[in-house]
Amino acid sequence: MTRVVLLGASPGPDTSPTGLRLAALPGNPTVAERLRSQLTSMDPRFATVQSGDVAAALRALADVAESATESLFIIPENSVVHDELIYQITKSKRGALALVAKEPRPEVTEEQEDNGQEDNGAEDRIPIDEADPEIGQNRVEGLPVRARVGKSRVVSVGTASHAVTRPNAVLLGPLHVSARNAPVLAQTCRELADIADRFGADDDLVQLIVFGLVRNGVSVGIRGRRDLFYRRVTTQEEINEAGAEMAGMDEDRARLNNAVKGADGFFTTFFVSTYSRFIARWAARRGLTPNQVTLISIVLGVAAAACFATGDRPWMVLGGVLIYFAFVFDCVDGQVARYARKFGVLGAWLDATFDRFKEYVVFAGLAVGWVVSGNGDEIWILALAALGLQSVRHLLDFSFGISNRRKPPSSLPTTPLDAPDDRELRQALVRRKVERSQGLRGVLKMWTKAGKYRAVHWARKMIVFPIGERFAAIAITAALFDARITFLTLVIWGSVAAAYTLTGRLMRSLV
């Protein structure tokens, strides 16, 4: 359940074109009518805030936030947007998330690059005393460039009378705030309303809200439009242009791409997800549910185990092929769920449970095949070692995940809303960055930064021996060698993965 807050006329140049129609769409709806119809799929409760009077609008939004028991999705009424973009923003797990557009980056000279002076979006790369605060005068999407964003969140926001150091982005409009941050949003809006006389005529309401949230220590994540569409419109000409641009974009393809996890392992990314998404779309369009796809994966896994249990080379090869496709359909069930937006507790439980079932029944099949081939029953020791090691790893993963969710999020620096610039805030961020670069935090941060190199990124993905790599190892070693080699691979690689992940989690638990 989501509380939707529709912003009416903006205090800046925007005005909600409630009477203008999207002639290219069936039914010839107005912009506001289309937006409401898009949002009703979220089963929302609507609240409308007319933003002509900034102080009144902020107080009205504070009232909405104070009474909210669910997340809030704030969006201007004059928004033309893809359904998938709304969905992606509202399903974010961030405490707050804003849609941004970055200002085109200036070209970097070779000398600047050699000196490390290029602006790659990282927070506080340039020392504060070398950066002169300024109010952004350039415009992107018709909005003043008054936000400073880093790689994953908003660093600072300015207004007509609050300077921001080196602004590089604009806040386009949609803003999602989780239920846990609703009280902070309410307090922030009231504080902003008290100083509303300091804001200018072209200060956008959403920008003011994010300005207040960031200064009050809320981590506001960022998302770009990527391959989806968003624009605010004020005239019929702009509406027609927006309609034409949207028509030239493949929203379904974007939705399909978003159905694929962005943090999968090497094998899954390059040998499964390149085509499994198309199987997922085919299945979803024919009414297959994620649970039905999970059942196909289970059947393939059991069939692979039966092939391995024969111990004959041709059947071992077939078993390797079947276990590979069992994993493919294991990926497809999640992609179907995300593409068709069909989620359920039962499906999530079945997926996690039968992943282990397929793996362990394959272990049994490999061991049985080795024994029936007359190679002795010592293989069961390796089989039990592989099973026990993997069970312990899953237990550690589960327990760490539960403990980590209980850990309160780290607080960000705050600064008074009436401070004329963001110098104090950015100095606090620099101090925080220095503190986090010391001791274990510093080691972890260095290792995280090393991930910008593709070789290191994929090495880190593979060393933890995720399920894709495990199923690939089983398929390849069983088809080309024998069960003993398969189990040795699982035990050795699994031990290295366990040591690596346990070390990292111990370090993260201590900082």
Side-chain angles (χ1 to χ4, degrees):
M1 193 78 172
T2 303
R3 187 75 178 271
V4 175
V5 181
L6 294 171
L7 302 181
S10 169
D14 282 341
T15 55
S16 296
T18 54
L20 301 180
R21 297 187 174 275
L22 289 157
L25 296 181
N28 194 27
T30 66
V31 173
E33 287 171 348
R34 179 178 184 274
L35 183 61
R36 281 181 173 269
S37 68
Q38 290 175 292
L39 296 169
T40 50
S41 62
M42 298 161 50
D43 189 26
R45 290 193 298 144
F46 284 103
T48 302
V49 173
Q50 297 300 329
S51 52
D53 182 335
V54 176
L58 289 166
R59 291 191 177 97
L61 183 55
D63 292 338
V64 173
E66 280 180 344
S67 62
T69 57
E70 62 276 272
S71 61
L72 291 136
F73 180 56
I74 302 167
I75 184 169
E77 250 186 341
N78 59 335
S79 298
V80 178
V81 58
H82 272 140
D83 292 340
E84 179 63 16
L85 187 53
I86 294 175
Y87 178 80
Q88 291 294 322
I89 294 173
T90 55
K91 294 304 177 183
S92 168
K93 295 181 180 179
R94 296 289 300 249
L97 183 73
L99 186 69
V100 305
K102 288 190 177 182
E103 187 178 31
R105 289 173 53 185
E107 293 188 6
V108 180
T109 66
E110 291 184 7
E111 182 180 356
Q112 287 175 315
E113 190 169 355
D114 292 339
N115 292 333
Q117 294 175 359
E118 73 277 13
D119 179 7
N120 66 355
E123 297 173 14
D124 307 305
R125 177 176 290 277
I126 300 171
I128 291 299
D129 54 7
E130 295 180 17
D132 294 327
E134 59 181 86
I135 298 174
Q137 300 299 325
N138 296 332
R139 287 179 174 266
V140 175
E141 296 288 326
L143 297 169
V145 181
R146 288 182 180 153
R148 173 74 182 174
V149 301
K151 290 183 178 179
S152 62
R153 66 178 179 86
V154 180
V155 177
S156 178
V157 184
T159 73
S161 56
H162 296 81
V164 58
T165 304
R166 300 198 178 187
N168 62 354
V170 299
L171 301 160
L172 292 176
L175 172 65
H176 185 255
V177 180
S178 67
R180 73 172 183 268
N181 279 328
V184 182
L185 174 62
Q187 176 189 344
T188 298
C189 287
R190 297 205 184 282
E191 292 174 355
L192 290 169
D194 292 338
I195 60 171
D197 58 327
R198 303 188 185 188
F199 304 136
D202 63 347
D203 277 328
D204 181 71
L205 187 57
V206 173
Q207 184 170 273
L208 295 179
I209 295 166
V210 179
F211 160 79
L213 289 175
V214 170
R215 288 199 170 200
N216 280 337
V218 175
S219 177
V220 180
I222 59 173
R223 190 197 194 283
R225 285 169 294 192
R226 299 174 195 163
D227 48 359
L228 293 166
F229 185 83
Y230 177 84
R231 184 185 296 174
R232 294 196 216 181
V233 293
T234 59
T235 66
Q236 188 64 56
E237 181 181 2
E238 290 178 355
I239 291 175
N240 295 339
E241 289 176 357
E245 190 171 344
M246 283 186 69
M249 300 178 72
D250 190 345
E251 182 182 6
D252 184 73
R253 183 60 180 264
R255 179 172 176 174
L256 186 61
N257 292 339
N258 284 324
V260 178
K261 286 183 180 178
D264 276 329
F266 178 85
F267 182 79
T268 307
T269 299
F270 293 102
F271 296 97
V272 177
S273 295
T274 50
Y275 68 90
S276 63
R277 68 189 73 187
F278 302 109
I279 300 176
R281 180 167 61 184
W282 181 90
R285 288 180 174 178
R286 282 154 183 80
L288 270 69
T289 66
N291 290 347
Q292 290 171 332
V293 177
T294 299
L295 182 60
I296 294 173
S297 178
I298 294 169
V299 171
L300 290 172
V302 173
C307 291
F308 291 143
T310 66
D312 294 334
R313 177 56 54 196
W315 289 104
M316 294 286 283
V317 173
L318 179 58
V321 174
L322 289 175
I323 195 63
Y324 167 72
F325 281 104
F327 176 66
V328 170
F329 279 91
D330 182 47
C331 295
V332 168
D333 62 5
Q335 291 165 5
V336 169
R338 288 183 288 274
Y339 178 76
R341 300 173 187 171
K342 293 180 179 179
F343 301 98
V345 175
L346 176 63
W349 176 73
L350 286 176
D351 186 44
T353 301
F354 284 107
D355 278 351
R356 310 289 79 77
F357 170 77
K358 284 180 293 188
E359 203 166 0
Y360 297 162
V361 77
V362 164
F363 288 178
L366 286 166
V368 169
W370 178 268
V371 173
V372 300
S373 297
N375 296 309
D377 56 4
E378 294 84 0
I379 195 70
W380 287 105
I381 297 175
L382 284 176
L384 290 173
L387 189 150
L389 178 63
Q390 197 55 46
S391 297
V392 170
R393 288 190 60 205
H394 288 309
L395 177 63
L396 292 174
D397 289 344
F398 177 77
S399 59
F400 182 79
I402 293 294
S403 301
N404 210 37
R405 283 197 290 270
R406 293 173 180 168
K407 183 180 179 181
S410 58
S411 58
L412 290 174
T414 62
T415 195
L417 298 185
D418 57 359
D421 56 49
D422 63 353
R423 185 176 297 271
E424 181 179 341
L425 177 64
R426 289 177 62 80
Q427 286 175 339
L429 287 171
V430 170
R431 289 193 295 270
R432 181 175 182 266
K433 185 176 181 179
V434 171
E435 291 171 0
R436 293 169 70 90
S437 299
Q438 299 172 345
L440 287 178
R441 281 186 185 273
V443 175
L444 291 170
K445 191 168 184 178
M446 287 176 59
W447 185 231
T448 300
K449 282 187 173 183
K452 67 182 180 180
Y453 301 105
R454 288 181 63 83
V456 176
H457 172 79
W458 290 119
R460 291 194 322 196
K461 291 283 188 182
M462 294 177 70
I463 196 174
V464 297
F465 209 19
I467 186 170
E469 271 66 12
R470 293 200 304 275
F471 274 49
I474 293 171
I476 294 170
T477 57
L480 299 180
F481 304 105
D482 53 44
R484 184 170 56 87
I485 297 297
T486 300
F487 286 127
L488 285 172
T489 301
L490 292 171
V491 171
I492 294 172
W493 195 345
S495 298
V496 172
Y500 173 79
T501 54
L502 184 59
T503 301
R505 284 168 180 175
L506 285 172
M507 293 174 68
R508 293 183 185 280
S509 299
L510 293 173
V511 298

